[in-house]
């Protein structure tokens, strides 16, 4: 007797059941006996028609509070089979992926910019398809082939008052998580410091500056738009952008991305212990600088030419540990539960990345990691009763089980049954390519039957939107343009100017809401809004809602307030026995008062930085150390803040 994953096989028979629906057990799944016996490999015992019929639950908003969409990146049927064979045996069953109530397949093709099919998609185009319901070209995130912004499921759920979450083992600015929060023409536009060439946008409806970068007039990089969209729970890798890159335009210009995230309210964490302890939302847990570590080490497991003729390898655990995708999913669900429902996307991203690297063990480990997360989602859905779980992939990949040594790359793996399995990677001599195959989709819960048959990736969007009661198509007449400004002076809108939303629909009852840095402004619920002192340096955004359709304008940057600084020496000529004393006074106009930020006094030999606090009321004094003889220039610099411009003064000092 020996263990295979969660199964125990003895003499070919397997004791294992598949729980279906509300406690129903579907006897099919694992082979019924010894594989060599007549009928031993059969997975179905008896007629299942009534069992399947009784599992169908209507998927209207009346029955669904929550949706968990789970994406195994690059997880085609071949990748699933390889993982199953390795960990559970040829007649075994993946406890999560293979136990979904209803299964079907969906087509994954993307489009060329001329509208013709691109038969093998990339992750960005496919994710945009299921996130927005609209097909697009490879590399595009959240836009159609003309560059028109398309609203995602996460954005629609958030607008409808649902809590939202985005979990991945990739960087949080990777293609799949990005599709729910951003709109860029190039998936490589990760952060504000990304090269301009990777953020260029030459689509028909591109921003005026033909760039998606915020400092060039675009909506911002993926990471910036993530913060703007503000899902309640964000978990993944990619803290390199947030720890090292600074915002280059807008209210948070000059600030690190992590400060921007914390500034809009996120509890920002970079460790599992910190994230695990997070008591509520919004929370952002970026647990690695890049992608997460894989479950299995990739040492010696990459396929090579002639690899099938070499000794079989076994997979070993990675020495670098991380929380499992199940852990991350469980934390996200616990934070999102308890409100008016939620939408959560969970991605097992590294199946794809390890398949690109023809790393069979890495690929297997990530598929098993994903399967465990699926098991948890199904457990939650079963106990909750009002949750729809949909599990699928964004595209197929290159790995294939073959019978003998192929001409391309291959590797022989010893499965936990004790048999050898040859896996071929034949799409390239190095980095492998995606395949254009249709992929599996499975579901559990109210509305699960909608995935049966052959559907398309874009159908996933509408299945979920209908289940949650969201609008399935953005109403064209609801499209807003950048707010116009009435009575603005040169240099941009100022306090007292009026912003007005334009492009409002006719024949519809429309409600408006103005926001300051993403937070609702009380009573600012009309078409026009008059800029106040509190708005200096902030982003003002207007959203419009007609029925269940919601859209937002491009954020309008309001000019910063100005600072006037006076700085004086108690005496400009002193002896070496006297310590120089500087008095600083700051006054601000068209901004909240008193001033905040830092003032630095530099006299060449050294410097002192004073952080302003409300009790200062913009004034403070500093006594410098005694200085040797000489002439000094004392520079006093106010660095400014998100709402106030900086200021500087130079003072002459003689020490004799």
């Amino acid at each position: 007797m020996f263990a295979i994953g969660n199964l125990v096989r003895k003499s070919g028979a397997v004791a294992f059941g598949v729980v279906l629906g509300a406690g129903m057990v579907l006897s099919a799944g694992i082979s019924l006996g010894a594989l060599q016996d007549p009928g031993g490999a059969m997975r179905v015992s008896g007629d299942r028609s009534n069992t399947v019929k009784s599992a169908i639950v209507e998927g209207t908003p009346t029955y669904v509070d929550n949706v968990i969409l789970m994406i195994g990146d690059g997880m085609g049927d071949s990748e699933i089979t390889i993982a199953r064979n390795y960990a559970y045996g040829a007649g075994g069953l993946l406890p999560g992926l293979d136990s979904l109530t209803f299964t079907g397949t969906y087509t994954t093709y993307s489009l060329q910019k001329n509208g013709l099919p691109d038969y093998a998609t990339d992750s960005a185009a496919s994710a945009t398809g299921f996130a927005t319901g609209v097909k697009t070209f490879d590399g595009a995130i959240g836009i159609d082939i003309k560059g028109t912004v398309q609203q995602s499921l996460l954005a629609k759920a958030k607008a409808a008052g649902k809590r939202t979450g985005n979990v991945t083992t990739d960087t949080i600015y990777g293609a799949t998580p990005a599709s729910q929060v951003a709109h860029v023409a190039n998936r490589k536009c990760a952060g504000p410091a990304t090269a301009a060439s990777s953020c260029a946008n030459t689509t028909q409806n591109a921003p005026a500056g033909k760039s998606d970068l915020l400092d060039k007039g675009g909506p911002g990089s993926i990471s910036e738009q993530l913060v703007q969209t503000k899902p309640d729970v964000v978990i993944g890798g990619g803290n390199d952008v947030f720890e090292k890159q600074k915002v280059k335009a807008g209210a948070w210009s000059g600030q690190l991305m992590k400060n921007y995230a914390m500034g809009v309210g996120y509890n920002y964490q970079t460790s599992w212990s910190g994230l695990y302890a997070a008591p509520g939302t919004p929370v952002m847990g970026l647990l690695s600088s890049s992608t997460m570590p894989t479950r299995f080490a990739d040492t010696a497991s990459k396929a090579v030419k002639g690899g099938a003729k070499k000794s079989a390898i076994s997979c070993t655990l990675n020495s670098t540990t991380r929380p499992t995708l199940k852990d991350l999913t469980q934390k996200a669900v616990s934070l999102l539960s308890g409100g008016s429902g939620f939408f959560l996307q969970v991605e097992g991203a590294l199946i794809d990345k390890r398949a690109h690297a023809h790393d069979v063990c890495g690929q297997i480990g990530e598929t098993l990691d994903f399967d465990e997360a699926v098991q948890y989602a199904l457990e939650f859905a079963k106990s909750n009763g009002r949750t729809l779980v949909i599990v699928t992939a964004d595209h197929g990949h290159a790995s294939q089980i073959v019978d003998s040594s192929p001409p391309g790359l291959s590797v022989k793996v010893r499965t936990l049954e004790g048999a050898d399995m040859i896996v071929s990677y034949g799409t390239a001599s190095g980095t492998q390519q995606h395949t254009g195959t249709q992929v599996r989709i499975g579901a559990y819960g109210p509305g699960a039957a909608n995935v049966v048959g052959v559907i398309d990736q874009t159908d996933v969007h509408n299945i979920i939107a209908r289940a949650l009661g969201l609008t399935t198509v953005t109403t064209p007449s609801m499209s807003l343009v950048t707010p116009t400004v009435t009575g603005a002076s040169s240099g941009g809108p100022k306090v007292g100017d009026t912003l007005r939303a334009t492009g409002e629909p006719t024949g519809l009852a429309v409600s408006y809401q103005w926001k300051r840095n993403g937070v609702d402004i009380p009573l600012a619920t009309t078409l026009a809004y008059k800029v106040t002192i509190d708005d200096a340096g902030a982003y003002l955004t207007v959203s419009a809602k007609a029925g269940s359709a919601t859209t937002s304008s491009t954020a309008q940057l309001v000019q910063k307030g100005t600072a006037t600084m006076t700085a004086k020496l108690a005496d400009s000529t002193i002896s070496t026995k006297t310590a120089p004393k500087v008095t600083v006074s700051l006054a601000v106009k068209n901004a909240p008062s008193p001033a905040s930020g830092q003032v630095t006094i530099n006299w060449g030999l050294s410097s002192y930085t004073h952080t302003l606090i409300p009790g200062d009321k913009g004034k403070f004094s500093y006594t410098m150390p005694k200085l040797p003889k000489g002439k000094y220039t004392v520079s006093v610099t106010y660095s400014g803040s998100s709402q106030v411009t900086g200021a500087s003064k130079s003072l002459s000092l003689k020490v004799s």
Side-chain angles (χ1 to χ4, degrees), residues 9 36 46 51 61 72 74 77 101 154 156 169 229 244 268 325 333 346 387 481 500 503 523 527 531 567 584 613 635:
R9 183 183 295 276
Q36 69 271 21
T51 305
D77 269 341
T101 313
L154 189 148
K156 290 180 179 181
T169 52
T229 303
K244 298 178 181 179
Y268 177 82
L325 187 57
V333 169
V346 177
T387 298
V481 299
R500 182 179 298 273
L523 304 181
L527 183 68
V531 181
V584 179
I613 59 175
S635 300

Side-chain angles (χ1 to χ4, degrees), residues 55 69 106 156 177 236 242 286 322 382 447 455 468 519 536 561 574 601 613 618 633:
L69 173 61
Y106 81 58
K156 290 180 179 181
F242 284 76
L286 303 185
R322 64 162 171 89
K382 181 184 176 183
I455 63 174
L468 289 176
V519 179
I574 58 174
I601 301 171
I613 59 175
T633 297

Side-chain angles (χ1 to χ4, degrees), residues 376-445:
Y376 168 75
L378 293 176
E379 292 168 5
F380 172 81
K382 181 184 176 183
S383 63
N384 176 268
R386 299 174 66 88
T387 298
L388 170 63
V389 178
I390 295 180
V391 183
T392 189
D394 52 353
H395 54 76
H397 225 298
S399 58
Q400 295 288 332
I401 302 169
V402 296
D403 196 44
S404 59
S405 183
L409 309 181
S410 62
V411 60
K412 184 187 294 180
V413 188
R414 180 70 48 82
T415 73
L416 298 188
E417 288 182 300
D420 291 344
M421 174 174 59
I422 298 174
V423 179
S424 168
Y425 293 87
T427 63
S429 58
T431 301
Q432 298 296 296
Q433 302 180 57
H434 299 167
T435 60
T437 181
Q438 60 194 35
V439 296
R440 184 194 300 192
I441 180 170
Y444 171 92

Side-chain angles (χ1 to χ4, degrees), residues 29-321:
I30 299 171
S31 56
L32 303 178
L35 300 183
Q36 69 271 21
D37 293 342
M42 292 171 55
R43 295 179 182 268
V44 178
S45 175
D47 185 84
R48 298 185 295 164
S49 301
N50 289 333
T51 305
V52 172
K53 182 178 179 180
S54 62
I56 298 176
V57 180
E58 187 180 0
T60 68
T62 305
Y63 297 99
V64 178
D65 292 332
N66 318 306
V67 171
I68 304 175
L69 173 61
M70 309 192 73
I71 306 296
D73 199 318
M75 188 186 69
D77 269 341
S78 184
E79 286 70 39
I80 293 172
T81 306
I82 290 168
R84 184 197 301 117
N85 286 352
Y86 177 83
Y88 294 94
L93 182 79
L94 286 162
L97 288 165
D98 291 336
S99 65
L100 292 157
T101 313
F102 296 98
T103 59
T105 59
Y106 81 58
T107 49
T108 63
Y109 65 92
S110 57
L111 296 179
Q112 302 175 50
K113 290 184 179 180
N114 61 9
L116 292 174
D118 181 346
Y119 296 108
T121 187
D122 81 333
S123 294
S126 187
T128 295
F130 58 71
T132 71
V134 178
K135 285 190 180 288
T136 191
F137 57 91
D138 287 359
I141 298 286
I143 59 175
D144 64 16
I145 59 174
K146 294 182 179 179
T148 306
V149 168
Q150 302 296 322
Q151 197 174 22
S152 72
L153 284 165
L154 189 148
K156 290 180 179 181
K158 189 175 182 68
K162 300 283 186 183
R163 295 178 180 177
T164 56
N166 206 350
V167 175
T168 182
T169 52
D170 195 2
T171 61
I172 199 60
Y173 46 80
T176 302
S179 69
Q180 296 288 355
V181 298
H183 313 280
V184 295
N186 190 335
R187 60 186 288 184
K188 295 180 181 179
C189 190
T194 302
S197 59
S198 294
C199 295
N201 186 333
T202 58
T203 60
Q204 179 179 321
N205 297 323
K210 295 295 182 183
S211 173
D212 287 321
L213 287 172
L214 196 60
D215 58 322
K216 297 185 182 299
S221 66
I222 292 169
S223 296
E224 289 165 300
Q225 291 189 60
L226 164 65
V227 177
Q228 294 165 17
T229 303
K230 199 178 178 182
D232 297 284
V233 176
V234 176
I235 302 175
N239 63 39
D240 56 341
V241 166
F242 284 76
E243 295 286 334
K244 298 178 181 179
Q245 296 191 21
K246 293 182 178 181
V247 182
K248 292 186 177 181
W252 294 91
S253 181
Q255 295 289 318
L256 285 170
M257 280 295 301
K258 68 175 182 179
N259 294 336
Y260 181 20
M262 290 186 287
V264 302
Y266 273 113
N267 175 359
Y268 177 82
Q269 299 291 335
T270 57
S271 69
W272 171 234
S273 59
L275 175 61
Y276 184 81
T281 62
V283 63
M284 179 181 290
L286 303 185
L287 308 183
S288 61
S289 60
S290 184
T291 58
M292 300 279 203
T294 55
R295 171 171 294 194
F296 286 162
D298 67 349
T299 305
S301 66
K302 290 185 178 181
V304 295
K305 280 196 172 185
K309 298 178 181 179
K310 297 184 178 182
S311 299
I313 65 169
S314 296
C315 301
T316 58
L317 290 174
N318 198 335
S319 59
T320 303
T321 60

Side-chain angles (χ1 to χ4, degrees), residues 554-577:
T554 303
Q556 172 68 55
L557 177 63
V558 179
Q559 185 172 333
K560 290 184 178 183
T562 55
T564 302
M565 183 175 68
T566 59
K568 295 181 180 180
L569 287 163
D571 196 334
S572 60
T573 302
I574 58 174
S575 71
T576 56
K577 298 180 180 180

